[in-house]
Amino acid sequence: MSDSLDSQLNPDDQVFMQRVLDLAAKGITTTHPNPMVGCVIVNDGNIVGEGFHQKAGELHAERLALEQAGSEARGATAYVNLEPCCHQGRTPPCTDGLVDAGILRVVAAMSDPNPLVEGGGFELLQGAGIEVLSGVLEDQARWLNRGFVSRMVRKRPWVMLKSAATLDGRTAAYDGQSKWITSSQARQTVQTLRASCSAVVTGIGTVLADDPQLNARLDGQERQPLRVVLDSQLQLPLDARIIGADQKLVVFTLSDNLEKVAALIEAGAEVIQLEANQSGQLDLIKVLEELANWQCNDVFIEAGQTLSGSFVQAGLVDEMVLFYAGSVLGDHGKSMFKFDSPMPFENKAHFQVNSTEMVGDDVRVNAVNQSSLAELTRRD
């Protein structure tokens, strides 16, 4: 935090902003493609209204908090983790609501990277005579909405890769058998991770081997992530369970088999044909850029060693979630990542371990790509 910002802080600004971030996080499985936003209205040191954005098309956090605060919003401070919107979307601008309610001060964690807003909200508020302070707990706010920030700034989603392995890093036995390496608690955690992302990505090899559904199986879960299969030669069976009945499957391919394309579309899938990259494979960057066009903020990679290795080797994995079970399969077991060529030690991918915890009998390790973290927290 800069010295100038520090000098403008009130004693409880960070405390109230932490409450905002906690509220915003409640929308983690429901707000896509919108960012997670919370708002707290404070008058004379007391919280008089609060809310969080729950679903695209529904009221934003500021409107909900103002509704709860009522007349006590007049002369109050509004705390919000993201710059209030100033454009008409499916809901009215939040800046108008703050001005009309008589808010005197707005404390934000960060400006909105969305070009439709980006500074315009702050400018409008200041023009109405409202004091604006931005940058309070900014790194935490950027991390919370890392997918949204990535889509707006890098024009591609944030990529989270999950793998479950033995203590010696093997994801399956020599014959491919892998059910179940990790505990039921770890597998349930994966359901929550799927639900928190815009899309779940896998390869055709995983589909042919396991016939997964890759949906989020949580009690009361309404929003399902988009399911994505990378299938260069259109080998996807028409009766594969991943196709489902909800028309939330996208297949990326190099194939020009129009008959198979038509059959998959008839079955409820969307098929996107791409040109091959220099190696004759699907271009993973173009896949991610296309998913950004589909308003995907975060993608969750659940794939075998080949596709997982391709994402890592291409430098496209922003975050890893790894589960380690208390077993060993030895050097004939399948590794987490298969590269198409040996990687010299000096070229190794750099990830920063940011948390470890026990999940049932397993160890969960979270790690973030250091380059991605630097891009996420960069101030332009």
Side-chain angles (χ1 to χ4, degrees):
M1 185 181 299
S2 68
D3 292 340
S4 60
L5 175 60
D6 194 46
S7 66
Q8 299 177 66
L9 288 175
N10 289 346
D12 292 328
D13 282 347
Q14 292 189 15
V15 174
F16 289 128
M17 187 60 74
Q18 186 58 59
R19 174 59 182 165
V20 167
L21 292 170
D22 292 342
L23 283 170
K26 292 184 177 184
I28 190 169
T29 65
T30 61
T31 63
H32 295 263
N34 289 354
M36 292 170 273
V37 181
C39 180
V40 170
I41 309 293
V42 176
N43 200 331
D44 198 23
N46 298 311
I47 294 176
V48 295
E50 60 182 26
F52 69 95
H53 182 48
Q54 299 181 42
K55 190 176 181 181
E58 296 185 358
L59 286 178
H60 287 188
E62 297 93 325
R63 292 278 178 177
L64 291 168
L66 289 170
E67 206 173 74
Q68 190 179 103
S71 61
E72 291 185 277
R74 187 157 299 278
T77 295
Y79 293 85
V80 63
N81 60 299
L82 191 69
E83 176 182 2
C85 64
C86 56
H87 65 286
Q88 177 70 48
R90 283 187 276 182
T91 57
C94 291
T95 48
D96 291 0
L98 293 166
V99 171
D100 293 343
I103 292 291
L104 289 185
R105 182 172 181 253
V106 170
V107 179
M110 60 178 288
S111 61
D112 192 332
N114 186 341
L116 292 173
V117 183
E118 203 166 18
F122 291 152
E123 205 172 291
L124 193 151
L125 293 171
Q126 289 170 324
I130 295 175
E131 178 189 349
V132 174
L133 178 65
S134 179
V136 180
L137 302 188
E138 182 169 358
D139 284 351
Q140 294 93 317
R142 284 177 172 270
W143 177 255
L144 177 68
N145 277 311
R146 54 197 179 276
F148 181 74
V149 174
S150 177
R151 178 163 68 89
M152 291 297 159
V153 175
R154 302 191 297 175
K155 309 304 179 188
R156 68 172 180 85
W158 182 267
V159 176
M160 179 190 294
L161 184 147
K162 162 258 171 182
S163 188
T166 59
L167 289 174
D168 56 340
R170 304 295 164 174
T171 59
Y174 71 94
D175 59 358
Q177 185 174 345
S178 62
K179 293 186 177 180
W180 296 103
I181 285 179
T182 52
S183 64
S184 59
Q185 293 97 321
R187 298 197 299 276
Q188 187 61 28
T189 298
V190 171
Q191 300 299 321
T192 303
L193 290 170
R194 287 178 187 171
S196 71
C197 290
S198 305
V200 180
V201 177
T202 195
I204 186 59
T206 297
V207 175
L208 295 176
D210 300 332
D211 194 20
Q213 288 180 284
L214 292 187
N215 57 347
R217 296 184 288 278
L218 297 175
D219 290 341
Q221 180 64 30
E222 296 180 12
R223 186 196 67 85
Q224 285 293 329
L226 187 70
R227 298 182 297 278
V228 179
V229 178
L230 306 192
D231 181 9
S232 296
Q233 304 306 316
L234 279 191
Q235 301 174 71
L236 182 65
L238 295 176
D239 60 352
R241 295 198 304 161
I242 200 170
I243 294 177
D246 58 2
Q247 296 186 320
K248 288 181 70 73
L249 173 69
V250 176
V251 180
F252 285 91
T253 188
L254 302 176
S255 173
D256 57 1
N257 184 336
L258 298 182
E259 185 177 342
K260 185 64 179 287
V261 169
L264 284 170
I265 292 173
E266 178 67 23
E270 179 86 21
V271 180
I272 298 177
Q273 294 164 293
L274 298 177
E275 293 183 3
N277 61 16
Q278 292 181 340
S279 302
Q281 306 295 321
L282 280 167
D283 189 323
L284 298 181
I285 293 178
K286 283 188 167 47
V287 168
L288 293 176
E289 289 173 346
E290 183 62 30
L291 290 176
N293 291 336
W294 280 61
Q295 294 190 301
C296 290
N297 294 329
D298 326 72
V299 301
F300 190 56
I301 308 295
E302 281 196 84
Q305 61 175 186
T306 301
L307 184 57
S308 294
S310 295
F311 270 98
V312 173
Q313 201 168 18
L316 295 174
V317 175
D318 300 306
E319 185 178 357
M320 287 191 186
V321 181
L322 308 177
F323 295 91
Y324 290 96
S327 55
V328 173
L329 280 170
D331 64 335
H332 291 292
K334 294 184 181 296
S335 64
M336 287 183 175
F337 310 112
K338 182 179 180 181
F339 294 162
D340 58 15
S341 59
M343 178 177 284
F345 185 79
E346 60 269 19
N347 292 344
K348 62 185 180 295
H350 291 275
F351 286 81
Q352 175 183 315
V353 175
N354 54 7
S355 69
T356 60
E357 64 175 315
M358 294 298 299
V359 179
D361 294 330
D362 308 315
V363 177
R364 171 178 170 172
V365 177
N366 276 54
V368 62
N369 185 308
Q370 291 176 326
S371 296
S372 302
L373 190 60
E375 290 179 340
L376 182 72
T377 56
R378 187 177 63 218
R379 311 289 195 265
D380 293 324

